[in-house]
PDB file of all heavy atoms in Angstrom:
ATOM      1  N   VAL A  17      25.240 130.022  16.939  1.00 41.00           N
ATOM      2  CA  VAL A  17      26.220 130.208  15.833  1.00 41.00           C
ATOM      3  C   VAL A  17      25.582 130.064  14.456  1.00 41.00           C
ATOM      4  O   VAL A  17      26.185 130.437  13.470  1.00 41.00           O
ATOM      5  CB  VAL A  17      27.427 129.293  15.929  1.00 41.00           C
ATOM      6  CG1 VAL A  17      28.126 129.560  17.265  1.00 41.00           C
ATOM      7  CG2 VAL A  17      26.968 127.853  15.833  1.00 41.00           C
ATOM      8  N   MET A  74      49.165 126.639  27.090  1.00 93.00           N
ATOM      9  CA  MET A  74      48.974 125.887  28.335  1.00 93.00           C
ATOM     10  C   MET A  74      47.708 125.063  28.312  1.00 93.00           C
ATOM     11  O   MET A  74      46.732 125.310  29.057  1.00 93.00           O
ATOM     12  CB  MET A  74      49.013 126.808  29.529  1.00 93.00           C
ATOM     13  CG  MET A  74      50.286 127.648  29.615  1.00 93.00           C
ATOM     14  SD  MET A  74      51.811 126.618  29.782  1.00 93.00           S
ATOM     15  CE  MET A  74      51.587 126.025  31.446  1.00 93.00           C
ATOM     16  N   SER A  98      27.691 135.911  20.935  1.00 71.00           N
ATOM     17  CA  SER A  98      27.040 137.015  20.221  1.00 71.00           C
ATOM     18  C   SER A  98      27.860 137.723  19.214  1.00 71.00           C
ATOM     19  O   SER A  98      27.391 138.317  18.260  1.00 71.00           O
ATOM     20  CB  SER A  98      26.449 138.038  21.264  1.00 71.00           C
ATOM     21  OG  SER A  98      27.482 138.685  21.951  1.00 71.00           O
ATOM     22  N   LYS A 148      47.302 118.245   3.291  1.00 92.00           N
ATOM     23  CA  LYS A 148      47.037 116.822   3.260  1.00 92.00           C
ATOM     24  C   LYS A 148      47.006 116.245   4.702  1.00 92.00           C
ATOM     25  O   LYS A 148      47.785 116.674   5.555  1.00 92.00           O
ATOM     26  CB  LYS A 148      48.048 116.048   2.451  1.00 92.00           C
ATOM     27  CG  LYS A 148      48.000 116.350   0.974  1.00 92.00           C
ATOM     28  CD  LYS A 148      48.994 115.515   0.198  1.00 92.00           C
ATOM     29  CE  LYS A 148      48.974 115.839  -1.298  1.00 92.00           C
ATOM     30  NZ  LYS A 148      50.006 115.053  -2.046  1.00 92.00           N
ATOM     31  N   ILE A 174      26.225 105.142   8.713  1.00 92.00           N
ATOM     32  CA  ILE A 174      24.991 105.764   8.322  1.00 92.00           C
ATOM     33  C   ILE A 174      23.861 105.535   9.352  1.00 92.00           C
ATOM     34  O   ILE A 174      23.003 106.398   9.524  1.00 92.00           O
ATOM     35  CB  ILE A 174      24.519 105.326   6.902  1.00 92.00           C
ATOM     36  CG1 ILE A 174      23.419 106.172   6.355  1.00 92.00           C
ATOM     37  CG2 ILE A 174      24.117 103.823   6.932  1.00 92.00           C
ATOM     38  CD1 ILE A 174      23.848 107.567   6.013  1.00 92.00           C
ATOM     39  N   THR A 176      24.324 104.960  12.634  1.00 94.00           N
ATOM     40  CA  THR A 176      24.818 105.203  14.021  1.00 94.00           C
ATOM     41  C   THR A 176      24.385 106.563  14.525  1.00 94.00           C
ATOM     42  O   THR A 176      24.592 107.551  13.891  1.00 94.00           O
ATOM     43  CB  THR A 176      26.348 105.087  14.028  1.00 94.00           C
ATOM     44  OG1 THR A 176      26.793 103.861  13.557  1.00 94.00           O
ATOM     45  CG2 THR A 176      26.879 105.305  15.511  1.00 94.00           C
ATOM     46  N   HIS A 214      37.007 121.765  15.627  1.00 96.00           N
ATOM     47  CA  HIS A 214      37.654 122.902  16.202  1.00 96.00           C
ATOM     48  C   HIS A 214      37.326 124.163  15.440  1.00 96.00           C
ATOM     49  O   HIS A 214      37.364 124.180  14.203  1.00 96.00           O
ATOM     50  CB  HIS A 214      39.179 122.730  16.289  1.00 96.00           C
ATOM     51  CG  HIS A 214      39.615 121.415  16.728  1.00 96.00           C
ATOM     52  ND1 HIS A 214      39.759 121.094  18.075  1.00 96.00           N
ATOM     53  CD2 HIS A 214      39.942 120.295  16.048  1.00 96.00           C
ATOM     54  CE1 HIS A 214      40.153 119.849  18.194  1.00 96.00           C
ATOM     55  NE2 HIS A 214      40.255 119.342  16.997  1.00 96.00           N
ATOM     56  N   VAL A 247      34.875 124.199  36.213  1.00 96.00           N
ATOM     57  CA  VAL A 247      34.784 123.848  34.777  1.00 96.00           C
ATOM     58  C   VAL A 247      34.722 122.354  34.645  1.00 96.00           C
ATOM     59  O   VAL A 247      35.513 121.611  35.248  1.00 96.00           O
ATOM     60  CB  VAL A 247      36.017 124.397  34.011  1.00 96.00           C
ATOM     61  CG1 VAL A 247      35.899 124.079  32.530  1.00 96.00           C
ATOM     62  CG2 VAL A 247      36.174 125.889  34.164  1.00 96.00           C
TER      63      VAL A 247
END
Side-chain angles (χ1 to χ4, degrees):
V17 299
M74 303 299 290
S98 65
K148 292 182 179 179
I174 194 67
T176 303
H214 315 275
V247 180

